[in-house]
Amino acid sequence: MASQEAERHWKIEDLDFSRIALDKVRPDENLFNLVACASFIESGSDLYTHNLVDFFKGDDEVTEWLSNHWEQEELQHGKALRAYVEYVWPEFDWETAYKGFLEEYATYCKVELLAPTRALEMTARCVVETGTATYYRAMARSTDEPVLHDLATRIATDEVNHYKHFYRYYRRYRTQEKLSRLRVFRTIGQRTLELKSEDADCAIRHVVQTRSPERASDTAYVQALSARMNSTIRTNLSAATTLKMLMRPLELPARLQAVIQYPIRQFMQHVFLR
């Protein structure tokens, strides 16, 4: 099954960059920032993979999937996004900007920052995959450029599939650890609040440092770029789908889910729409 899954997976060569209308896309600074920042974060996925493999050592099913599927697909996302940036904006020194990003980003990727138990870490992974799927779905909706729409849609589909794996592992560990819904809810809430974390801030800082070094120390300028990116995602996200993915690990009875859905939606909007 795993080999069949790998065989079905798309390749960068499936993307036809010659279809890009460069004169239409190149002037779009916000689009550049969205794609460049995503390319940095995805390209640093191996840092998290190594931490997770260490954390789940002894569970061969999980570590094999993390190393041979999740990491490979995440790194492919980074390569494809980088290829798009370098095709549309060849003047941008991606390698230099990424090196600066990675040096700082590595300080955020530590085993001690993972959740205290395996079930709770799988809960956190579900939240992260919800955030990335939301980001790429929104990116796909935000552009009529066909190649980027195609790429963002492919990545979003991968992220949803990753979510399904993490959720399945979560259910196994939750049973073993006999986790209460309260602990799961707290992890979901904490990790959701961290979705707009230092990762994206780090990425945009290093994009600006390389692309517009004269503006790198202009905090207001950098924050304005970040706010514009957030606005694009906010305008194009599917709140109902995101809410469903966030709530799923709670495994609430239908009646209780209906009762708490509104306050959770309000909390989610506070995070994603702020």
Side-chain angles (χ1 to χ4, degrees), residues 193-237:
L193 286 171
E194 293 170 357
L195 283 177
K196 286 187 177 180
S197 63
E198 63 269 11
D199 296 7
D201 293 337
C202 176
I204 189 60
R205 284 198 302 272
H206 288 281
V207 166
V208 174
Q209 178 66 53
T210 299
R211 187 166 172 84
S212 307
E214 72 282 359
R215 306 297 298 271
S217 60
D218 187 342
T219 303
Y221 173 74
V222 176
Q223 289 177 343
L225 295 181
S226 180
R228 192 173 170 204
M229 292 165 61
N230 290 339
S231 177
T232 299
I233 301 303
R234 178 178 68 243
T235 303
N236 292 282
L237 65 78

mmCIF file of all heavy atoms in Angstrom, residues 193-237:
data_model
loop_
_atom_site.group_PDB
_atom_site.id
_atom_site.type_symbol
_atom_site.label_atom_id
_atom_site.label_comp_id
_atom_site.label_asym_id
_atom_site.label_seq_id
_atom_site.Cartn_x
_atom_site.Cartn_y
_atom_site.Cartn_z
ATOM 1 N N LEU A 193 -3.382 28.609 18.738
ATOM 2 C CA LEU A 193 -2.882 29.953 18.996
ATOM 3 C C LEU A 193 -1.468 30.148 18.464
ATOM 4 O O LEU A 193 -1.061 31.265 18.164
ATOM 5 C CB LEU A 193 -2.908 30.243 20.499
ATOM 6 C CG LEU A 193 -4.291 30.507 21.103
ATOM 7 C CD1 LEU A 193 -4.197 30.561 22.624
ATOM 8 C CD2 LEU A 193 -4.891 31.796 20.558
ATOM 9 N N GLU A 194 -0.730 29.042 18.340
ATOM 10 C CA GLU A 194 0.650 29.127 17.873
ATOM 11 C C GLU A 194 0.769 29.027 16.350
ATOM 12 O O GLU A 194 1.867 29.134 15.807
ATOM 13 C CB GLU A 194 1.484 27.997 18.505
ATOM 14 C CG GLU A 194 1.654 28.150 20.014
ATOM 15 C CD GLU A 194 2.274 26.914 20.649
ATOM 16 O OE1 GLU A 194 2.509 25.929 19.916
ATOM 17 O OE2 GLU A 194 2.521 26.937 21.856
ATOM 18 N N LEU A 195 -0.363 28.832 15.657
ATOM 19 C CA LEU A 195 -0.284 28.681 14.200
ATOM 20 C C LEU A 195 0.325 29.904 13.541
ATOM 21 O O LEU A 195 1.102 29.798 12.605
ATOM 22 C CB LEU A 195 -1.676 28.397 13.619
ATOM 23 C CG LEU A 195 -2.194 26.972 13.792
ATOM 24 C CD1 LEU A 195 -3.600 26.857 13.249
ATOM 25 C CD2 LEU A 195 -1.279 25.959 13.101
ATOM 26 N N LYS A 196 -0.079 31.076 14.013
ATOM 27 C CA LYS A 196 0.552 32.304 13.517
ATOM 28 C C LYS A 196 1.763 32.572 14.405
ATOM 29 O O LYS A 196 1.765 33.450 15.253
ATOM 30 C CB LYS A 196 -0.435 33.467 13.576
ATOM 31 C CG LYS A 196 -1.508 33.400 12.498
ATOM 32 C CD LYS A 196 -2.332 34.661 12.500
ATOM 33 C CE LYS A 196 -3.346 34.635 11.382
ATOM 34 N NZ LYS A 196 -4.166 35.854 11.354
ATOM 35 N N SER A 197 2.771 31.779 14.228
ATOM 36 C CA SER A 197 3.905 31.787 15.141
ATOM 37 C C SER A 197 5.109 32.458 14.534
ATOM 38 O O SER A 197 5.050 33.105 13.494
ATOM 39 C CB SER A 197 4.242 30.345 15.519
ATOM 40 O OG SER A 197 4.639 29.649 14.356
ATOM 41 N N GLU A 198 6.241 32.216 15.197
ATOM 42 C CA GLU A 198 7.479 32.824 14.737
ATOM 43 C C GLU A 198 7.930 32.277 13.394
ATOM 44 O O GLU A 198 8.757 32.893 12.719
ATOM 45 C CB GLU A 198 8.580 32.614 15.785
ATOM 46 C CG GLU A 198 8.958 31.183 16.053
ATOM 47 C CD GLU A 198 8.159 30.559 17.181
ATOM 48 O OE1 GLU A 198 7.175 31.177 17.611
ATOM 49 O OE2 GLU A 198 8.516 29.459 17.614
ATOM 50 N N ASP A 199 7.404 31.114 12.963
ATOM 51 C CA ASP A 199 7.814 30.543 11.678
ATOM 52 C C ASP A 199 7.585 31.527 10.533
ATOM 53 O O ASP A 199 8.493 31.832 9.755
ATOM 54 C CB ASP A 199 7.033 29.260 11.396
ATOM 55 C CG ASP A 199 7.321 28.152 12.395
ATOM 56 O OD1 ASP A 199 8.033 28.420 13.381
ATOM 57 O OD2 ASP A 199 6.830 27.037 12.196
ATOM 58 N N ALA A 200 6.330 31.983 10.406
ATOM 59 C CA ALA A 200 5.987 32.898 9.314
ATOM 60 C C ALA A 200 6.698 34.243 9.475
ATOM 61 O O ALA A 200 7.142 34.837 8.487
ATOM 62 C CB ALA A 200 4.479 33.098 9.252
ATOM 63 N N ASP A 201 6.782 34.727 10.713
ATOM 64 C CA ASP A 201 7.480 35.996 10.955
ATOM 65 C C ASP A 201 8.950 35.888 10.560
ATOM 66 O O ASP A 201 9.513 36.807 9.964
ATOM 67 C CB ASP A 201 7.372 36.385 12.436
ATOM 68 C CG ASP A 201 5.955 36.729 12.843
ATOM 69 O OD1 ASP A 201 5.154 37.088 11.954
ATOM 70 O OD2 ASP A 201 5.643 36.641 14.042
ATOM 71 N N CYS A 202 9.547 34.766 10.915
ATOM 72 C CA CYS A 202 10.950 34.525 10.560
ATOM 73 C C CYS A 202 11.116 34.516 9.044
ATOM 74 O O CYS A 202 12.038 35.132 8.503
ATOM 75 C CB CYS A 202 11.413 33.205 11.171
ATOM 76 S SG CYS A 202 13.094 32.713 10.737
ATOM 77 N N ALA A 203 10.219 33.840 8.359
ATOM 78 C CA ALA A 203 10.320 33.725 6.901
ATOM 79 C C ALA A 203 10.231 35.083 6.219
ATOM 80 O O ALA A 203 11.061 35.408 5.363
ATOM 81 C CB ALA A 203 9.228 32.789 6.383
ATOM 82 N N ILE A 204 9.241 35.883 6.577
ATOM 83 C CA ILE A 204 9.070 37.172 5.890
ATOM 84 C C ILE A 204 10.237 38.104 6.193
ATOM 85 O O ILE A 204 10.669 38.870 5.326
ATOM 86 C CB ILE A 204 7.715 37.833 6.238
ATOM 87 C CG1 ILE A 204 7.461 39.049 5.335
ATOM 88 C CG2 ILE A 204 7.635 38.202 7.696
ATOM 89 C CD1 ILE A 204 7.399 38.747 3.865
ATOM 90 N N ARG A 205 10.795 38.030 7.400
ATOM 91 C CA ARG A 205 11.963 38.868 7.713
ATOM 92 C C ARG A 205 13.129 38.555 6.790
ATOM 93 O O ARG A 205 13.804 39.461 6.292
ATOM 94 C CB ARG A 205 12.389 38.675 9.177
ATOM 95 C CG ARG A 205 11.517 39.353 10.194
ATOM 96 C CD ARG A 205 12.242 39.495 11.539
ATOM 97 N NE ARG A 205 12.671 38.204 12.068
ATOM 98 C CZ ARG A 205 11.929 37.410 12.829
ATOM 99 N NH1 ARG A 205 10.688 37.772 13.124
ATOM 100 N NH2 ARG A 205 12.403 36.275 13.290
ATOM 101 N N HIS A 206 13.360 37.279 6.544
ATOM 102 C CA HIS A 206 14.505 36.898 5.715
ATOM 103 C C HIS A 206 14.223 37.107 4.231
ATOM 104 O O HIS A 206 15.158 37.352 3.460
ATOM 105 C CB HIS A 206 14.917 35.459 6.031
ATOM 106 C CG HIS A 206 15.578 35.332 7.366
ATOM 107 N ND1 HIS A 206 16.901 35.681 7.571
ATOM 108 C CD2 HIS A 206 15.090 34.964 8.577
ATOM 109 C CE1 HIS A 206 17.215 35.495 8.845
ATOM 110 N NE2 HIS A 206 16.138 35.061 9.479
ATOM 111 N N VAL A 207 12.970 37.042 3.844
ATOM 112 C CA VAL A 207 12.616 37.413 2.473
ATOM 113 C C VAL A 207 12.954 38.881 2.240
ATOM 114 O O VAL A 207 13.597 39.251 1.247
ATOM 115 C CB VAL A 207 11.124 37.156 2.195
ATOM 116 C CG1 VAL A 207 10.682 37.855 0.911
ATOM 117 C CG2 VAL A 207 10.851 35.664 2.085
ATOM 118 N N VAL A 208 12.542 39.731 3.164
ATOM 119 C CA VAL A 208 12.785 41.172 3.033
ATOM 120 C C VAL A 208 14.277 41.475 3.114
ATOM 121 O O VAL A 208 14.796 42.321 2.370
ATOM 122 C CB VAL A 208 12.005 41.957 4.113
ATOM 123 C CG1 VAL A 208 12.372 43.438 4.077
ATOM 124 C CG2 VAL A 208 10.508 41.776 3.918
ATOM 125 N N GLN A 209 14.974 40.780 4.009
ATOM 126 C CA GLN A 209 16.402 41.014 4.180
ATOM 127 C C GLN A 209 17.156 40.840 2.866
ATOM 128 O O GLN A 209 18.089 41.591 2.558
ATOM 129 C CB GLN A 209 16.972 40.044 5.224
ATOM 130 C CG GLN A 209 18.475 40.148 5.457
ATOM 131 C CD GLN A 209 18.877 41.482 6.071
ATOM 132 O OE1 GLN A 209 18.334 41.882 7.110
ATOM 133 N NE2 GLN A 209 19.823 42.169 5.466
ATOM 134 N N THR A 210 16.728 39.878 2.061
ATOM 135 C CA THR A 210 17.405 39.607 0.794
ATOM 136 C C THR A 210 16.821 40.411 -0.360
ATOM 137 O O THR A 210 17.555 40.930 -1.204
ATOM 138 C CB THR A 210 17.327 38.100 0.466
ATOM 139 O OG1 THR A 210 17.984 37.373 1.506
ATOM 140 C CG2 THR A 210 17.978 37.787 -0.865
ATOM 141 N N ARG A 211 15.495 40.539 -0.389
ATOM 142 C CA ARG A 211 14.843 41.197 -1.520
ATOM 143 C C ARG A 211 14.907 42.721 -1.416
ATOM 144 O O ARG A 211 15.090 43.410 -2.425
ATOM 145 C CB ARG A 211 13.390 40.748 -1.608
ATOM 146 C CG ARG A 211 12.645 41.245 -2.853
ATOM 147 C CD ARG A 211 11.352 40.473 -3.008
ATOM 148 N NE ARG A 211 10.479 40.974 -4.040
ATOM 149 C CZ ARG A 211 10.572 40.671 -5.340
ATOM 150 N NH1 ARG A 211 11.550 39.887 -5.742
ATOM 151 N NH2 ARG A 211 9.708 41.147 -6.210
ATOM 152 N N SER A 212 14.752 43.237 -0.205
ATOM 153 C CA SER A 212 14.760 44.701 0.004
ATOM 154 C C SER A 212 15.562 45.020 1.250
ATOM 155 O O SER A 212 15.003 45.432 2.277
ATOM 156 C CB SER A 212 13.323 45.225 0.151
ATOM 157 O OG SER A 212 12.512 44.827 -0.929
ATOM 158 N N PRO A 213 16.872 44.796 1.230
ATOM 159 C CA PRO A 213 17.687 44.959 2.441
ATOM 160 C C PRO A 213 17.579 46.340 3.077
ATOM 161 O O PRO A 213 17.727 46.479 4.294
ATOM 162 C CB PRO A 213 19.116 44.662 1.964
ATOM 163 C CG PRO A 213 19.072 44.806 0.475
ATOM 164 C CD PRO A 213 17.693 44.424 0.064
ATOM 165 N N GLU A 214 17.290 47.350 2.259
ATOM 166 C CA GLU A 214 17.169 48.705 2.803
ATOM 167 C C GLU A 214 15.929 48.854 3.682
ATOM 168 O O GLU A 214 15.829 49.812 4.462
ATOM 169 C CB GLU A 214 17.134 49.728 1.663
ATOM 170 C CG GLU A 214 15.841 49.751 0.840
ATOM 171 C CD GLU A 214 15.734 48.622 -0.163
ATOM 172 O OE1 GLU A 214 16.677 47.812 -0.253
ATOM 173 O OE2 GLU A 214 14.701 48.562 -0.867
ATOM 174 N N ARG A 215 14.970 47.902 3.573
ATOM 175 C CA ARG A 215 13.748 47.953 4.381
ATOM 176 C C ARG A 215 13.756 46.925 5.508
ATOM 177 O O ARG A 215 12.783 46.811 6.259
ATOM 178 C CB ARG A 215 12.512 47.688 3.495
ATOM 179 C CG ARG A 215 12.377 48.575 2.275
ATOM 180 C CD ARG A 215 12.213 50.036 2.632
ATOM 181 N NE ARG A 215 11.012 50.300 3.403
ATOM 182 C CZ ARG A 215 9.821 50.583 2.865
ATOM 183 N NH1 ARG A 215 9.678 50.586 1.541
ATOM 184 N NH2 ARG A 215 8.786 50.870 3.627
ATOM 185 N N ALA A 216 14.832 46.162 5.636
ATOM 186 C CA ALA A 216 14.865 45.045 6.586
ATOM 187 C C ALA A 216 14.675 45.483 8.031
ATOM 188 O O ALA A 216 14.103 44.754 8.847
ATOM 189 C CB ALA A 216 16.173 44.273 6.447
ATOM 190 N N SER A 217 15.134 46.671 8.363
ATOM 191 C CA SER A 217 15.009 47.155 9.739
ATOM 192 C C SER A 217 13.740 47.969 9.955
ATOM 193 O O SER A 217 13.503 48.473 11.056
ATOM 194 C CB SER A 217 16.231 48.001 10.107
ATOM 195 O OG SER A 217 16.344 49.120 9.236
ATOM 196 N N ASP A 218 12.930 48.083 8.915
ATOM 197 C CA ASP A 218 11.673 48.832 9.003
ATOM 198 C C ASP A 218 10.576 47.881 9.486
ATOM 199 O O ASP A 218 9.901 47.218 8.699
ATOM 200 C CB ASP A 218 11.329 49.409 7.626
ATOM 201 C CG ASP A 218 10.120 50.333 7.660
ATOM 202 O OD1 ASP A 218 9.346 50.278 8.632
ATOM 203 O OD2 ASP A 218 9.941 51.107 6.695
ATOM 204 N N THR A 219 10.395 47.830 10.806
ATOM 205 C CA THR A 219 9.449 46.888 11.404
ATOM 206 C C THR A 219 8.038 47.095 10.882
ATOM 207 O O THR A 219 7.312 46.124 10.608
ATOM 208 C CB THR A 219 9.464 47.012 12.928
ATOM 209 O OG1 THR A 219 10.808 46.796 13.403
ATOM 210 C CG2 THR A 219 8.547 45.987 13.576
ATOM 211 N N ALA A 220 7.637 48.334 10.739
ATOM 212 C CA ALA A 220 6.279 48.627 10.268
ATOM 213 C C ALA A 220 6.071 48.099 8.852
ATOM 214 O O ALA A 220 5.003 47.568 8.528
ATOM 215 C CB ALA A 220 6.020 50.129 10.318
ATOM 216 N N TYR A 221 7.080 48.222 8.022
ATOM 217 C CA TYR A 221 6.984 47.729 6.646
ATOM 218 C C TYR A 221 6.838 46.212 6.616
ATOM 219 O O TYR A 221 5.972 45.672 5.914
ATOM 220 C CB TYR A 221 8.240 48.146 5.873
ATOM 221 C CG TYR A 221 8.357 47.560 4.489
ATOM 222 C CD1 TYR A 221 7.558 48.018 3.446
ATOM 223 C CD2 TYR A 221 9.264 46.528 4.224
ATOM 224 C CE1 TYR A 221 7.659 47.479 2.171
ATOM 225 C CE2 TYR A 221 9.380 45.983 2.950
ATOM 226 C CZ TYR A 221 8.573 46.460 1.932
ATOM 227 O OH TYR A 221 8.681 45.913 0.669
ATOM 228 N N VAL A 222 7.666 45.530 7.399
ATOM 229 C CA VAL A 222 7.611 44.072 7.448
ATOM 230 C C VAL A 222 6.265 43.607 7.995
ATOM 231 O O VAL A 222 5.651 42.662 7.474
ATOM 232 C CB VAL A 222 8.770 43.502 8.292
ATOM 233 C CG1 VAL A 222 8.654 41.991 8.425
ATOM 234 C CG2 VAL A 222 10.114 43.877 7.666
ATOM 235 N N GLN A 223 5.777 44.264 9.020
ATOM 236 C CA GLN A 223 4.479 43.903 9.600
ATOM 237 C C GLN A 223 3.341 44.146 8.613
ATOM 238 O O GLN A 223 2.372 43.375 8.568
ATOM 239 C CB GLN A 223 4.236 44.694 10.890
ATOM 240 C CG GLN A 223 5.117 44.253 12.046
ATOM 241 C CD GLN A 223 4.907 45.087 13.297
ATOM 242 O OE1 GLN A 223 4.345 46.191 13.245
ATOM 243 N NE2 GLN A 223 5.354 44.572 14.426
ATOM 244 N N ALA A 224 3.470 45.184 7.804
ATOM 245 C CA ALA A 224 2.440 45.470 6.799
ATOM 246 C C ALA A 224 2.401 44.366 5.737
ATOM 247 O O ALA A 224 1.322 43.961 5.290
ATOM 248 C CB ALA A 224 2.704 46.827 6.149
ATOM 249 N N LEU A 225 3.575 43.870 5.341
ATOM 250 C CA LEU A 225 3.622 42.764 4.391
ATOM 251 C C LEU A 225 2.961 41.521 4.984
ATOM 252 O O LEU A 225 2.184 40.829 4.308
ATOM 253 C CB LEU A 225 5.064 42.448 4.007
ATOM 254 C CG LEU A 225 5.852 43.512 3.250
ATOM 255 C CD1 LEU A 225 7.256 43.001 2.928
ATOM 256 C CD2 LEU A 225 5.135 43.911 1.961
ATOM 257 N N SER A 226 3.287 41.246 6.242
ATOM 258 C CA SER A 226 2.705 40.093 6.918
ATOM 259 C C SER A 226 1.194 40.218 7.035
ATOM 260 O O SER A 226 0.452 39.255 6.808
ATOM 261 C CB SER A 226 3.332 39.941 8.310
ATOM 262 O OG SER A 226 2.799 38.837 8.988
ATOM 263 N N ALA A 227 0.718 41.419 7.356
ATOM 264 C CA ALA A 227 -0.720 41.650 7.492
ATOM 265 C C ALA A 227 -1.434 41.452 6.161
ATOM 266 O O ALA A 227 -2.546 40.915 6.109
ATOM 267 C CB ALA A 227 -0.978 43.059 8.022
ATOM 268 N N ARG A 228 -0.794 41.858 5.090
ATOM 269 C CA ARG A 228 -1.401 41.686 3.773
ATOM 270 C C ARG A 228 -1.484 40.211 3.400
ATOM 271 O O ARG A 228 -2.476 39.752 2.821
ATOM 272 C CB ARG A 228 -0.582 42.450 2.728
ATOM 273 C CG ARG A 228 -1.289 42.579 1.393
ATOM 274 C CD ARG A 228 -0.509 43.469 0.461
ATOM 275 N NE ARG A 228 -1.051 43.415 -0.892
ATOM 276 C CZ ARG A 228 -0.369 43.695 -1.978
ATOM 277 N NH1 ARG A 228 0.898 44.071 -1.875
ATOM 278 N NH2 ARG A 228 -0.929 43.619 -3.168
ATOM 279 N N MET A 229 -0.455 39.444 3.727
ATOM 280 C CA MET A 229 -0.487 38.008 3.496
ATOM 281 C C MET A 229 -1.616 37.361 4.304
ATOM 282 O O MET A 229 -2.382 36.544 3.788
ATOM 283 C CB MET A 229 0.855 37.380 3.879
ATOM 284 C CG MET A 229 2.021 37.774 2.977
ATOM 285 S SD MET A 229 3.625 37.372 3.734
ATOM 286 C CE MET A 229 3.499 35.592 3.923
ATOM 287 N N ASN A 230 -1.713 37.731 5.576
ATOM 288 C CA ASN A 230 -2.764 37.189 6.436
ATOM 289 C C ASN A 230 -4.148 37.525 5.899
ATOM 290 O O ASN A 230 -5.075 36.716 5.976
ATOM 291 C CB ASN A 230 -2.614 37.733 7.858
ATOM 292 C CG ASN A 230 -1.400 37.175 8.577
ATOM 293 O OD1 ASN A 230 -0.885 36.121 8.212
ATOM 294 N ND2 ASN A 230 -0.925 37.879 9.581
ATOM 295 N N SER A 231 -4.288 38.727 5.365
ATOM 296 C CA SER A 231 -5.570 39.150 4.816
ATOM 297 C C SER A 231 -5.965 38.280 3.618
ATOM 298 O O SER A 231 -7.142 37.921 3.465
ATOM 299 C CB SER A 231 -5.498 40.621 4.392
ATOM 300 O OG SER A 231 -6.711 41.033 3.795
ATOM 301 N N THR A 232 -4.973 37.929 2.799
ATOM 302 C CA THR A 232 -5.251 37.071 1.647
ATOM 303 C C THR A 232 -5.752 35.705 2.105
ATOM 304 O O THR A 232 -6.726 35.166 1.561
ATOM 305 C CB THR A 232 -3.986 36.903 0.787
ATOM 306 O OG1 THR A 232 -3.579 38.186 0.306
ATOM 307 C CG2 THR A 232 -4.235 35.979 -0.387
ATOM 308 N N ILE A 233 -5.095 35.133 3.100
ATOM 309 C CA ILE A 233 -5.512 33.831 3.618
ATOM 310 C C ILE A 233 -6.882 33.945 4.278
ATOM 311 O O ILE A 233 -7.761 33.104 4.055
ATOM 312 C CB ILE A 233 -4.475 33.289 4.617
ATOM 313 C CG1 ILE A 233 -3.101 33.152 3.949
ATOM 314 C CG2 ILE A 233 -4.939 31.953 5.189
ATOM 315 C CD1 ILE A 233 -3.079 32.284 2.714
ATOM 316 N N ARG A 234 -7.063 34.971 5.068
ATOM 317 C CA ARG A 234 -8.337 35.179 5.783
ATOM 318 C C ARG A 234 -9.502 35.283 4.802
ATOM 319 O O ARG A 234 -10.557 34.683 5.014
ATOM 320 C CB ARG A 234 -8.247 36.445 6.622
ATOM 321 C CG ARG A 234 -9.531 36.789 7.363
ATOM 322 C CD ARG A 234 -9.368 38.033 8.214
ATOM 323 N NE ARG A 234 -9.191 39.234 7.422
ATOM 324 C CZ ARG A 234 -8.113 39.995 7.433
ATOM 325 N NH1 ARG A 234 -7.077 39.668 8.170
ATOM 326 N NH2 ARG A 234 -8.036 41.079 6.688
ATOM 327 N N THR A 235 -9.304 36.008 3.726
ATOM 328 C CA THR A 235 -10.370 36.240 2.755
ATOM 329 C C THR A 235 -10.753 34.975 2.008
ATOM 330 O O THR A 235 -11.904 34.819 1.581
ATOM 331 C CB THR A 235 -9.930 37.318 1.748
ATOM 332 O OG1 THR A 235 -9.592 38.520 2.456
ATOM 333 C CG2 THR A 235 -11.029 37.623 0.747
ATOM 334 N N ASN A 236 -9.809 34.051 1.887
ATOM 335 C CA ASN A 236 -10.032 32.895 1.017
ATOM 336 C C ASN A 236 -10.125 31.555 1.747
ATOM 337 O O ASN A 236 -10.248 30.520 1.103
ATOM 338 C CB ASN A 236 -8.896 32.817 -0.008
ATOM 339 C CG ASN A 236 -8.940 33.956 -1.004
ATOM 340 O OD1 ASN A 236 -9.727 33.956 -1.942
ATOM 341 N ND2 ASN A 236 -8.099 34.965 -0.780
ATOM 342 N N LEU A 237 -10.067 31.560 3.073
ATOM 343 C CA LEU A 237 -10.148 30.280 3.779
ATOM 344 C C LEU A 237 -11.587 29.784 3.871
ATOM 345 O O LEU A 237 -12.542 30.549 3.752
ATOM 346 C CB LEU A 237 -9.522 30.374 5.166
ATOM 347 C CG LEU A 237 -10.129 31.273 6.252
ATOM 348 C CD1 LEU A 237 -11.360 30.652 6.901
ATOM 349 C CD2 LEU A 237 -9.088 31.567 7.329
#
